[in-house]
Amino acid sequence: MALVLILATVPAFGQSSPAKTEASADTEAIPGIRALMAEVVDHQKQLEKIRENYTYRSFFTDEEMDSNGQLKKTETEEREVFFVNTHRVERTVKKNGKPLDDHDRQKEQDRVNKLVEKAQNTPAGQPLDGQETVSITHLLDIMDETNPRRAMFRGRSTILFDFAGKHDAKTHGVAEDASKKLAGTLWVDEKDRQVAHMEAHFTDNFHVAGGLVANVQKGSSFVFDQAPVNGEIWFPTFAEGRVEARVLLFKGMHEHFTEKDSDYERFTVDTETGKAAAVVPDVKK
């Protein structure tokens, strides 16, 4: 779970490199994984400001299943996503298909205003609200990367490799502890040096606070997709997870969630007072 969040944040956008012909791509040596991921991070830093010119919609569906795999409850939420000083900000606009009422809409706007102000005063690249992050460099230190190869993915050449956490790696914090119990495959777009697709799963049970808070079960899995937008930036398009867990020692949790992202638009943020956070789509000329 932690790795999905890390990769959803770190390589969310990038700069195009000179195009390669299929013939040259086939014969060119595959770069080392550490060097490849360093390029992904470098492209992120170059285009952080471009990301702040965009907003998009995120539609989240959470399905709770019973122990037999039968659907118990479905909840949906539609969010507007934008970025301030490199930080992701989400505004909920609908729940279970219905727009927020006046009271909840004002409450949500107040929350977003405070978050925007906090984002403006938090150095770029630092997490908000005490969230943990792991640098790509350190992530590679606690994982083994194997079998680098090329493959076409949705009509584009990608470099993909398998990864698996080192169970004996020294880690600090929840994000690192979770990462070393993950394994999967990562697809990197060869032209744009962007993470195009990721599949990951837990290879062992993962205990949060020694299992007192939660125990995520082995086999819980995640998928993450990105795609180019307007020829200048990459954004998330889809994420999916299947989680088996036990929460607070008692409650068993069986969840299937999806997140579908769309409606990418350029916008401006009116922060004249530092608290407005009004999203205004660009007028196309």
Side-chain angles (χ1 to χ4, degrees):
M1 190 171 351
L3 183 59
V4 172
L5 296 176
I6 294 161
L7 291 176
T9 303
V10 173
F13 47 95
Q15 181 180 39
S16 297
S17 304
K20 301 180 178 70
T21 65
E22 289 300 317
S24 65
D26 288 342
T27 58
E28 186 176 346
I30 295 176
I33 299 305
R34 190 173 291 267
L36 178 67
M37 298 310 293
E39 288 186 57
V40 171
V41 174
D42 183 57
H43 289 169
Q44 171 195 354
K45 293 177 180 178
Q46 293 176 34
L47 293 188
E48 283 178 343
K49 288 299 179 183
I50 292 181
R51 184 171 67 166
E52 295 187 15
N53 293 332
Y54 277 86
T55 183
Y56 62 91
R57 291 282 172 141
S58 181
F59 188 82
F60 187 84
T61 301
D62 187 1
E63 297 177 328
E64 183 179 345
M65 323 297 285
D66 64 21
S67 58
N68 296 317
Q70 299 299 310
L71 181 64
K72 290 175 56 179
K73 181 175 65 174
T74 300
E75 294 182 345
T76 65
E77 192 167 309
E78 187 174 338
R79 306 162 183 163
E80 181 182 63
V81 182
F82 59 99
F83 296 83
V84 177
N85 194 25
T86 75
H87 304 293
R88 175 179 169 127
V89 178
E90 297 181 351
R91 177 193 285 108
T92 298
V93 294
K94 291 182 180 180
K95 286 188 176 182
N96 297 321
K98 297 180 180 180
L100 301 185
D101 60 28
D102 291 343
H103 173 76
D104 287 342
R105 185 167 56 251
Q106 185 58 55
K107 184 178 179 180
E108 177 67 0
Q109 186 60 54
D110 291 342
R111 183 192 69 83
V112 170
N113 290 344
K114 292 177 182 179
L115 190 58
V116 167
E117 185 174 24
K118 187 171 185 177
Q120 291 171 327
N121 294 315
T122 301
Q126 285 190 13
L128 293 176
D129 298 325
Q131 298 172 350
E132 292 185 35
T133 61
V134 185
S135 71
I136 287 292
T137 300
H138 187 52
L139 197 61
L140 295 176
D141 287 337
I142 61 179
M143 289 191 166
D144 288 318
E145 308 84 38
T146 58
N147 195 23
R149 65 246 189 226
R150 282 190 175 89
M152 298 300 293
F153 182 75
R154 295 178 179 162
R156 298 174 67 97
S157 177
T158 61
I159 297 172
L160 60 155
F161 61 92
D162 303 320
F163 61 86
K166 302 174 183 176
H167 283 217
D168 59 349
K170 293 182 178 180
T171 54
H172 303 280
V174 175
E176 293 183 16
D177 291 344
S179 297
K180 73 176 185 179
K181 293 190 176 184
L182 288 171
T185 304
L186 194 70
W187 284 252
V188 177
D189 186 86
E190 187 159 18
K191 178 185 175 185
D192 288 357
R193 292 305 200 249
Q194 289 299 301
V195 173
H197 183 68
M198 184 188 72
E199 299 175 2
H201 62 274
F202 277 96
T203 59
D204 197 358
N205 294 344
F206 171 60
H207 307 289
V208 180
L212 295 176
V213 174
N215 181 11
V216 180
Q217 301 296 308
K218 174 181 177 180
S220 295
S221 61
F222 309 90
V223 174
F224 172 70
D225 276 337
Q226 290 197 132
V229 174
N230 292 342
E232 66 173 355
I233 198 167
W234 284 61
F235 274 119
T237 58
F238 179 77
E240 182 178 22
R242 296 182 183 276
V243 180
E244 303 285 334
R246 184 166 297 279
V247 180
L248 299 176
L249 297 178
F250 302 107
K251 183 181 178 181
M253 183 180 71
H254 311 271
E255 278 192 283
H256 171 229
F257 67 83
T258 60
E259 182 175 324
K260 298 179 181 179
D261 305 299
S262 61
D263 299 335
Y264 309 94
E265 290 186 289
R266 280 185 165 273
F267 79 108
T268 58
V269 178
D270 178 8
T271 54
E272 184 177 343
T273 66
K275 298 182 179 181
V279 175
V280 183
D282 275 354
V283 177
K284 296 183 179 179
K285 300 180 179 179

